Amino acid sequence: MVRFGLTVVRHGETRYNKDKILQGQGVDEPLSATGFRQADAAGLFLSNVKFTHVFSSDLLRAKQTAATILGKNNFCKDLEIKYDARLRERKYGVAEGRPLTDLKAMAKAAGEQCPSFTPSGGETLDEVRERAKDFFDFLCRLAVELEQKEQDVGAAASRSSEALGEHSGFPWTNHCSETELSSDGASQTLDANILVVSHGAYMRNWIGYFVSDLNCTLPTDSTKSQLSSVSPNTGVSHFIVKLENGNVLKPEITCVCLNQDSHLVNVGAECVAPKVF
């Protein structure tokens, strides 16, 4: 059995987020002052989580968020952030750099609705999902390789003292539905604990793939509106992924928390993206 934790965080607020202007891939805005405060808050929220790997979109707003979160971490400040273009926001083509209302008008003129409408030069939802699927397959294979390396070097015997505890250092149980323990009530170990920083529309599509295609188990208090809405800036979602016998084709995914935002209470600004993204 291979098990790994996956924590997915949306980037902090940018000026374009606040003004409801589409960024997509072509507009590479830095975080606003509020965005950096949000990233600081997310970093403090995750400060005691021992990540083994960190991946980020290669767009500036995500890179800055990932670096800020790691800077607050008590265990992995020096962990290398790996940038991956597969984590970029959905490409909105001719709508990038324009108000969200323009995208809605384009969709209406085409007799379609957002978010399924694809502007000229943009990515379809299926294309975004393929990127997300490809990246998730990569993460599953990475976790299997790590577990195999442990066995090859005879490290399995020492895992009880060195492996990552599923609950050790995790803040979710104080704020979200508690993840299931093993049958004897003990927390289980993880072969990897991965942090991913990405974007709102991409994350919604990715999580939609988990639920619709991979039968991801959701927290009992989750709602349909949470699935259809984009995460707030620096919203946190956490998953436990199990691969029986290292089979990457049939992952068992449990969502521990979805779009968690309790860390933003004292930030002083709310930036929840509208459902259309």
Side-chain angles (χ1 to χ4, degrees), residues 129-141:
R129 184 165 292 202
E130 279 303 307
R131 277 201 286 128
K133 179 180 182 298
D134 186 59
F135 182 76
F136 182 63
D137 288 346
F138 159 73
L139 292 185
C140 290
R141 295 180 191 282

Side-chain angles (χ1 to χ4, degrees), residues 37-235:
R37 290 197 299 272
Q38 292 170 332
D40 279 340
L44 289 172
F45 182 67
L46 300 171
S47 61
N48 289 320
V49 181
K50 297 179 181 179
F51 294 110
T52 58
H53 301 78
V54 180
F55 296 92
S56 169
S57 158
D58 59 354
L59 296 175
L60 182 59
R61 55 196 184 272
K63 292 168 70 173
Q64 290 178 326
T65 302
T68 301
I69 290 174
L70 271 197
K72 296 290 184 180
N73 196 276
N74 293 324
F75 302 101
C76 47
K77 284 185 174 66
D78 298 325
L79 199 60
E80 179 186 3
I81 301 173
K82 296 184 179 180
Y83 304 111
D84 198 308
R86 289 174 293 184
L87 293 170
R88 288 181 179 181
E89 180 58 294
R90 181 184 182 187
K91 186 177 181 181
Y92 284 96
V94 297
E96 292 183 351
R98 297 170 64 174
L100 182 58
T101 52
D102 284 7
L103 179 65
K104 293 180 178 179
M106 291 179 194
K108 184 177 181 180
E112 298 183 41
Q113 293 184 334
C114 294
S116 58
F117 170 69
T118 303
S120 177
E123 283 183 296
T124 67
L125 292 179
D126 285 343
E127 288 172 333
V128 178
R129 184 165 292 202
E130 279 303 307
R131 277 201 286 128
K133 179 180 182 298
D134 186 59
F135 182 76
F136 182 63
D137 288 346
F138 159 73
L139 292 185
C140 290
R141 295 180 191 282
L142 173 64
V144 170
E145 289 174 5
L146 289 171
E147 196 271 342
Q148 289 175 341
K149 285 180 181 178
E150 283 188 342
Q151 290 185 351
D152 291 343
V153 299
S158 62
R159 285 183 61 192
S160 59
S161 60
E162 296 179 359
L164 297 159
E166 181 174 320
H167 297 280
S168 178
F170 284 76
W172 339 111
T173 53
N174 294 328
H175 302 273
C176 319
S177 297
E178 191 165 337
T179 188
E180 291 184 358
L181 296 172
S182 60
S183 58
D184 61 359
S187 63
Q188 300 180 47
T189 57
L190 300 173
D191 294 290
N193 195 16
I194 301 168
L195 171 65
V196 171
V197 180
S198 187
H199 305 263
Y202 179 94
M203 287 169 54
R204 183 178 64 177
N205 203 312
W206 192 9
I207 294 170
Y209 163 67
F210 281 177
V211 174
S212 63
D213 291 33
L214 300 180
N215 299 314
C216 173
T217 301
L218 294 171
T220 55
D221 60 352
S222 62
T223 64
K224 289 184 178 179
S225 64
Q226 282 181 294
L227 284 174
S228 62
S229 299
V230 169
S231 168
N233 289 106
T234 68

Side-chain angles (χ1 to χ4, degrees), residues 256-269:
V256 180
C257 68
L258 185 64
N259 299 338
Q260 164 65 36
D261 62 357
S262 66
H263 56 284
L264 298 176
V265 171
N266 297 317
V267 170

